[in-house]
Amino acid sequence: MSSLVVVGAQWGDEGKGKLVDYLTSNADLVIRFQGGNNAGHTLNVDGVETKLRLIPSGILHDGTQCLIGAGVVFNSEVLLSEMGQLADVGKKVDPSRIVLDRDAHLILPYHEAIDMAREERRGKDKIGTTGRGIGPTYEDRANRSGVRAAELLKLDELRVKLEKTIEEKNLYLRTVLESERQVTWDEVWGVVERAAERLVPHLGNVSLMLHEARLAEKRIVFEGAQGTLLDQMHGTVPFVTSSNTISGAVLTGCGTGPRSIDHILGVAKAYCTRVGSGPFPTELEDATGDFLREKGGEFGTVTGRPRRCGWFDAVAMKRAVRLNGIDSLAITKLDVLSGVEKLQICINYHLNGEKVDDVPSLASDLESVEPEYLTFDGWEADLTQARKWHHLPQEARFYLSTLSEIVGCPISVVSVGPERQSTLFSSGGNFIRNFLV
Ligand code: IMP
């Protein structure tokens, strides 16, 4: 067997969806292990765009089974509508194809109401969440009051539990958050009934399936959502999501051990973006930032918000390589940099005049760091037709090889466009190349 973890090495939106679609062409299983429908993965195949939030990005390959692990929080309405859209374009979405772990937690309308009410209350200090109820659902998981997929099998028991929960959540919304938002029994129970009716056939035991797949020497891709710097514990707290987004989360999110992983692929853009609030040392609030946003189509898949754009940050990337144990990097959207006269990579942070050895822990410190840059000549050529490393202009090759050297990690894949075929391998790409054949 051979297994590959694909994780975001920046603040999310690195292009993991395209990579996972590409890398699952010969995979048996693809598994989501954390996050929920705050993720938005975009696939472009034969001119057709598919946007996924919950279903793993391997769904377009008919031979790949798509699993949603216990570490995911799922919005059943979103999952059902995504399945409907895929079925409409002829994709097989039956229970043999899509399996939802029995221990994954269900996002309910009160989680979304609390997420939004909290953001409203935070005012200018808001985190900028996607408002999809992700944080409140993980909170309920941690305090042992959440609803797991398996509970859809015993609606009588769930009814009793939810009667109490809805009352408590409405009280919390009214009195603590001083919000007008309230949820009704019918609204919540309607979601539960539809989920029970439609999703119960998809319930499964992902940990056991994974164990059996490993014994049968199957090829497995673990698909991360969000990015390393949004990790709940190691990211730029508090401006982070509420799950662990790093490769270690594969183990808890799927119920497997560390030896289930053969290669960890970190996905990073050739520049940086961030959506939502929080420190961003290399942010470009100028014409170059606007150029990257327009040319790179940097608008959120889930919320449509414009993404903040900036230079590649090698300090943050070194941290990502370490936190994930990244074996190789996939650098995406290199084509977007064509036409920028001078490029920069941040190689150090300085705080109060001193060089710091890692991303600071406190957001206020990260807000205050002064980035030190290395400047590169840019290139004019359009890269979207490049298919081999030597098709890239010398300046682009130099940019990538220096980046790899500074970060201390080989580059295995370079992506120069949204389509599957706009992907090329570098000399560090042997594992990935073998994974595809
Ligand atoms: P939440 O995950 O909705 O709670 O949002 C917390 C933070 O993570 C916000 O800054 C979001 O913009 C960000 N975030 C969540 N999911 C994604 C993603 O898939 N891509 C990029 N940013 C994300």
Side-chain angles (χ1 to χ4, degrees):
M1 89 132 205
S2 183
S3 74
L4 174 66
V5 179
V6 180
V7 279
Q10 296 165 321
W11 276 293
D13 310 314
E14 297 92 348
K16 297 177 293 293
K18 171 199 157 159
L19 260 294
V20 171
D21 167 63
Y22 185 70
L23 294 167
T24 43
S25 57
N26 265 326
D28 300 294
L29 297 182
V30 53
I31 314 180
R32 273 278 306 265
F33 54 90
Q34 48 71 230
N37 56 306
N38 46 350
H41 294 168
T42 308
L43 322 180
N44 282 274
V45 180
D46 301 331
V48 180
E49 190 175 73
T50 308
K51 288 182 193 282
L52 300 169
R53 291 167 186 194
L54 272 169
I55 294 178
S57 305
I59 191 75
L60 301 185
H61 300 288
D62 292 338
T64 307
Q65 204 177 14
C66 295
L67 274 47
I68 298 174
V72 172
V73 290
F74 70 101
N75 178 317
S76 50
E77 303 281 296
V78 171
L79 182 54
L80 289 170
S81 111
E82 220 162 79
M83 281 160 58
Q85 282 163 22
L86 287 161
D88 287 347
V89 292
K91 290 288 145 201
K92 198 169 144 196
V93 290
D94 65 23
S96 70
R97 192 78 211 288
I98 297 179
V99 177
L100 171 67
D101 192 87
R102 58 194 197 160
D103 291 325
H105 274 247
L106 175 62
I107 301 175
L108 286 165
Y110 50 80
H111 294 121
E112 292 167 306
I114 291 172
D115 202 4
M116 315 252 238
R118 284 215 187 113
E119 286 285 76
E120 282 154 9
R121 206 176 149 74
R122 285 186 190 114
K124 68 173 182 30
D125 296 325
K126 65 174 195 262
I127 291 170
T129 74
T130 57
R132 301 300 190 260
I134 308 296
T137 309
Y138 277 117
E139 271 173 48
D140 279 1
R141 185 179 87 176
N143 72 23
R144 292 144 293 176
S145 64
V147 175
R148 291 179 297 154
E151 291 178 66
L152 297 171
L153 293 163
K154 294 206 169 164
L155 288 189
D156 288 347
E157 288 177 24
L158 185 54
R159 174 184 281 276
V160 176
K161 172 172 162 173
L162 278 178
E163 270 164 357
K164 243 194 344 239
T165 309
I166 292 172
E167 208 181 296
E168 274 174 21
K169 299 290 183 190
N170 277 335
L171 187 65
Y172 175 71
L173 278 160
R174 254 194 333 268
T175 56
V176 179
L177 299 180
E178 295 174 316
S179 170
E180 311 241 300
R181 293 177 184 273
Q182 294 281 285
V183 291
T184 63
W185 167 261
D186 287 349
E187 190 183 348
V188 175
W189 195 248
V191 169
V192 168
E193 280 188 325
R194 274 190 295 281
E197 193 189 318
R198 305 269 317 278
L199 290 177
V200 161
H202 290 267
L203 295 194
N205 182 335
V206 167
S207 166
L208 186 59
M209 290 174 76
L210 182 54
H211 176 71
E212 286 165 355
R214 290 187 62 216
L215 292 178
E217 311 228 318
K218 302 268 185 181
R219 207 174 286 207
I220 301 158
V221 175
F222 298 99
E223 177 181 13
Q226 291 83 48
T228 301
L229 301 172
L230 290 173
D231 184 275
Q232 180 215 18
M233 190 171 0
H234 301 283
T236 50
V237 179
F239 302 100
V240 292
T241 190
S242 6
S243 63
N244 286 113
T245 57
I246 57 175
S247 61
V250 165
L251 314 181
T252 50
C254 298
T256 190
R259 277 183 258 285
S260 311
I261 299 175
D262 294 318
H263 190 95
I264 299 167
L265 179 71
V267 186
K269 278 180 201 170
Y271 49 98
C272 248
T273 63
R274 169 162 212 172
V275 60
S277 324
F280 182 0
T282 63
E283 184 168 11
L284 285 163
E285 290 174 283
D286 59 9
T288 310
D290 295 342
F291 173 86
L292 296 176
R293 184 164 34 256
E294 288 306 319
K295 185 156 179 215
E298 299 294 358
F299 297 90
T301 315
V302 175
T303 58
R305 292 179 286 182
R307 296 182 187 140
R308 300 154 66 194
C309 298
W311 296 123
F312 188 89
D313 184 340
V315 180
M317 189 56 58
K318 280 194 218 171
R319 179 169 170 80
V321 168
R322 195 176 69 245
L323 291 172
N324 290 291
I326 292 174
D327 293 300
S328 71
L329 284 171
I331 300 292
T332 61
K333 293 192 146 182
L334 186 68
D335 53 301
V336 175
L337 293 183
S338 295
V340 183
E341 197 183 338
K342 292 283 177 200
L343 299 167
Q344 298 201 296
I345 291 182
C346 167
I347 50 168
N348 283 308
Y349 291 165
H350 296 267
L351 183 63
N352 305 322
E354 305 263 323
K355 192 172 114 182
V356 291
D357 56 6
D358 196 2
V359 178
S361 174
L362 297 179
S364 53
D365 283 342
L366 189 55
E367 284 286 1
S368 317
V369 296
E370 288 288 332
E372 176 188 337
Y373 290 107
L374 209 57
T375 303
F376 297 76
D377 287 334
W379 58 87
E380 282 295 328
D382 171 21
L383 306 187
T384 53
Q385 301 309 315
R387 296 293 175 264
K388 300 245 185 291
W389 180 256
H390 69 263
H391 294 165
L392 297 175
Q394 190 261 330
E395 292 85 356
R397 278 183 275 143
F398 183 68
Y399 179 79
L400 289 177
S401 56
T402 313
L403 179 157
S404 162
E405 206 173 302
I406 300 168
V407 166
C409 186
I411 294 173
S412 51
V413 181
V414 179
S415 168
V416 289
E419 297 281 341
R420 277 179 190 161
Q421 61 273 21
S422 316
T423 313
L424 49 109
F425 295 103
S426 89
S427 53
N430 283 345
F431 181 93
I432 305 294
R433 226 189 298 253
N434 292 337
F435 196 83
L436 285 165
V437 288

